[in-house]
């Protein structure tokens, strides 16, 4: 289903709302399908989040309510608002469930979570199991190393220990590259990005292969200690991100696409990007990651007027 714009957006949400408004709540639930029916019946949308995917989805240390924050979380909250409008509920609640790189796809497929709001690459293999929103970010696999490291390029990885986070596309990209170059390196696995970064910080690994923007986020969150690390310029893979949800759910897909079209047309998509990638994060640091040409083009297709 393509993006929905302007009057078509209003018409879609109005049609969904009308379908969800028979004489009785029970009747409303019956005419809905998929995730919208689940949300109408339970009164809740379950958001899957990552604990250390800065600035997409993470838990800020010392934050009172313990809820995740980030760019992807903000986008998902907009989707939840539109789900509420579509099913005629202004009391729709949110339950947050932490997920990892390894269990995030099964959590969506099984119905444990309704939206996965993190830093997930939308590739062809994953689309066989789940669906994705329009592109939210474009990243690339790169290597983080300590400053002064002998590793100046991926060609220097022979005999080195490289950590990846379990369940990420970065591992496949790294293994494929090493195989093509006929380089022997030891690949280690961290449970999440924070653990993988810690393995480089304490010397258990020589390099960390991850999406570049996540590496910048980890460096920024480390404060002064982050100054001891750098991200190499070589790109090992192309990583377009999206919000993940259940496949074969056209009603939810319509709401998701409508949300992104709305955010593009009223420029909130740009403002949300700038909030998390150009302005100061809650901890006072800045990532200073300008919007890529690829992402700008994707947003323009959705209706963002430059």
């Amino acid at each position: 289903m393509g993006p929905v714009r302007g009057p078509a957006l209003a018409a879609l949400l109005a049609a969904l709302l009308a379908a969800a408004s028979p004489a009785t709540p029970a009747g409303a639930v019956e005419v809905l399908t998929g995730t919208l029916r689940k949300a109408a019946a339970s009164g809740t949308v379950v958001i899957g989040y990552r604990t250390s995917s800065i600035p997409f989805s993470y838990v800020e240390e010392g934050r009172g309510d313990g809820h995740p924050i980030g760019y992807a979380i903000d986008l998902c909250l907009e989707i939840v608002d539109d789900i509420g409008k579509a099913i005629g509920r202004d009391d729709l609640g949110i339950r947050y469930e932490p997920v990892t790189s390894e269990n995030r796809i099964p959590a969506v497929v099984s119905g444990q979570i309704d939206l996965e709001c993190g830093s997930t690459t939308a590739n062809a293999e994953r689309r066989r199991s789940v669906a994705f929103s329009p592109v939210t970010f474009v990243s690339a696999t790169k290597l983080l190393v300590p400053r002064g490291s002998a590793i100046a390029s991926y060609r220097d990885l022979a005999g080195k220990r490289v950590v990846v986070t379990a369940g990420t596309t970065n591992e496949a990209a790294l293994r494929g590259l090493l195989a093509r170059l006929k380089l022997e390196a030891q690949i280690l696995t961290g449970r999440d990005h924070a653990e993988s970064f810690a393995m480089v910080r304490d010397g258990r690994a020589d390099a960390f292969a991850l999406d570049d923007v996540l590496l910048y986020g980890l460096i920024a969150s480390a404060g002064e200690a982050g100054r001891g690390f750098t991200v190499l310029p070589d790109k090992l893979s192309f990583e377009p991100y999206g919000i993940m949800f259940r496949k074969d759910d056209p009603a939810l897909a319509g709401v998701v696409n409508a949300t992104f079209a709305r955010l593009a047309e009223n420029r909130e998509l740009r403002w949300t990007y700038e909030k998390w990638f150009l302005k100061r994060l809650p901890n006072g640091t800045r990532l200073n990651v300008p919007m890529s040409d690829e992402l700008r083009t994707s947003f323009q297709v959705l209706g963002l007027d430059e």
Side-chain angles (χ1 to χ4, degrees):
M1 185 170 184
V4 185
R5 300 194 179 95
L9 167 61
L12 171 64
L13 291 177
L16 289 169
L17 178 57
S21 303
T24 66
V29 173
E30 287 300 321
V31 298
L32 294 171
T33 61
T35 302
L36 269 59
R37 179 173 181 171
K38 178 174 179 281
S42 67
T44 303
V45 174
V46 186
I47 286 180
Y49 70 93
R50 304 294 298 280
T51 59
S52 57
S53 288
I54 304 167
F56 297 89
S57 174
Y58 66 105
V59 177
E60 182 78 2
E61 187 175 347
R63 183 177 171 86
D65 59 13
H67 289 169
I69 58 174
Y71 174 64
I73 296 296
D74 281 359
L75 295 177
C76 280
L77 293 179
E78 294 287 346
I79 294 172
V80 173
D81 282 348
D82 283 345
I83 290 174
K85 293 173 186 175
I87 64 177
R89 292 197 64 148
D90 58 9
D91 61 344
L92 193 59
I94 296 174
R95 179 161 57 85
Y96 293 99
E97 287 284 344
V99 295
T100 66
S101 297
E102 286 188 295
N103 69 16
R104 56 188 165 178
I105 293 177
V108 170
V109 173
S110 68
Q112 179 184 343
I113 62 174
D114 300 314
L115 299 169
E116 193 269 336
C117 311
S119 52
T120 299
T121 299
N123 58 24
E125 179 183 356
R126 287 173 174 171
R127 287 183 187 277
R128 289 196 285 268
S129 302
V130 294
F132 287 93
S133 71
V135 174
T136 60
F137 192 84
V138 178
S139 186
T141 302
K142 292 187 179 181
L143 294 174
L144 175 146
V145 298
R147 290 191 182 276
S149 168
I151 302 173
S153 161
Y154 57 80
R155 297 181 183 277
D156 299 324
L157 291 178
K160 304 298 184 181
R161 300 162 299 171
V162 188
V163 63
V164 296
T165 301
T168 61
T169 56
N170 311 111
E171 179 176 357
L174 177 62
R175 290 187 184 277
L177 179 69
L178 294 175
R180 287 195 300 275
L181 297 178
K182 295 182 171 55
L183 295 177
E184 293 288 338
Q186 182 182 2
I187 298 179
L188 309 175
T189 303
R191 288 173 298 180
D192 55 29
H193 302 328
E195 181 178 82
S196 297
F197 185 36
M199 292 174 71
V200 180
R201 291 179 67 172
D202 64 21
R204 287 177 288 159
D206 302 302
F208 179 14
L210 185 67
D211 300 352
D212 53 3
V213 67
L214 299 178
L215 294 175
Y216 300 143
L218 289 166
I219 288 174
S221 69
E224 283 299 314
R227 297 179 182 275
F229 301 90
T230 188
V231 178
L232 303 181
D234 298 330
K235 296 181 179 180
L236 280 63
S237 70
F238 174 77
E239 309 287 339
Y241 293 176
I243 304 299
M244 188 165 52
F245 55 96
R246 275 180 288 286
K247 193 177 177 183
D248 301 323
D249 192 343
L252 178 59
V255 172
V256 171
N257 284 328
T259 299
F260 273 80
R262 170 174 64 80
L263 295 176
E265 290 183 349
N266 65 17
R267 300 183 65 81
E268 285 187 61
L269 206 48
R270 170 177 288 283
W271 300 334
T272 304
Y273 181 93
E274 292 175 351
K275 170 185 174 182
W276 292 102
F277 294 97
L278 298 179
K279 297 181 179 180
R280 291 191 184 278
L281 297 177
N283 68 356
T285 61
R286 292 179 190 264
L287 295 183
N288 290 322
V289 178
M291 188 180 296
S292 67
D293 290 340
E294 295 90 345
L295 185 60
R296 183 177 296 106
T297 298
S298 177
F299 285 175
Q300 288 172 342
V301 169
L302 291 172
L304 181 66
D305 184 2
E306 291 294 311

